[in-house]
Amino acid sequence: MIRRPPRSTLFPYTTLFRSKAMKRDLPRSEFAAVDFVADPSVLKMGNPDVIFFSGSLNTLAEATARHIVERAFEFAHGAVVFNFLSDECERSIKAKDTGPASRFHTADWLAWALTKTASVAFRQDYLKGHDGTIAMFKPGRGS
């Protein structure tokens, strides 16, 4: 079964990602370079079905990142998907400097996500567990 992409998708990514992504033909997606930390309400731009975060949350304190993801989950109609540097990776990777980013507590993030919705997907098979990805789906939207 082929699923259609969401009606609208907001990608609050870095400028580099935005420039590359905008070159692709993704007519139902919007790429925005916004300061979602200073003003989380920008996450509701375009009335998004799905909001993706990639590479931006680990530069924040975990509490701030969690607040941003929570606001995004409020604004998204279908889901929020985000990746982060996991603290549950191979020892050789964990020892490497990630500055200015920091590793997040994977188990805490999963437990927190499950307090928001029972429909959570998790993967951590990229670069020997270096990155974790959590998808939080709204009720009735499923994974």
Side-chain angles (χ1 to χ4, degrees):
M1 179 170 103
I2 298 174
R3 293 182 2 177
R4 293 183 62 204
R7 173 178 42 79
S8 63
T9 305
L10 177 64
F11 297 86
Y13 284 97
T14 63
T15 304
L16 176 62
F17 177 84
R18 182 176 182 254
S19 65
K20 289 180 179 181
M22 289 181 71
K23 292 177 183 175
R24 299 182 60 199
D25 183 25
L26 301 169
R28 293 196 277 213
S29 297
E30 178 180 340
F31 297 89
V34 295
D35 187 349
F36 57 86
V37 176
D39 182 11
S41 70
V42 299
L43 295 171
K44 60 184 167 184
M45 287 175 27
N47 201 23
D49 284 329
V50 181
I51 299 176
F52 291 89
F53 292 95
S54 180
S56 54
L57 297 175
N58 285 101
T59 60
L60 307 173
E62 276 193 69
T64 303
R66 194 166 285 139
H67 173 74
I68 297 298
V69 173
E70 185 167 17
R71 293 297 305 271
F73 192 64
E74 290 171 18
F75 296 142
H77 292 286
V80 171
V81 180
F82 57 98
N83 76 342
F84 56 95
L85 299 177
S86 173
D87 67 336
E88 296 294 332
C89 56
E90 288 188 6
R91 196 173 305 170
S92 64
I93 294 171
K94 194 172 188 176
K96 293 181 181 179
D97 181 26
T98 59
S102 59
R103 295 194 178 281
F104 285 173
H105 300 281
T106 305
D108 291 349
W109 274 92
L110 278 169
W112 174 83
L114 288 165
T115 68
K116 304 300 173 192
T117 178
S119 187
V120 173
F122 172 68
R123 289 192 70 160
Q124 186 169 315
D125 54 354
Y126 179 66
L127 291 176
K128 300 180 182 178
H130 177 65
D131 282 15
T133 300
I134 295 175
M136 300 168 53
F137 298 92
K138 295 277 180 112
R141 298 300 290 243
S143 55

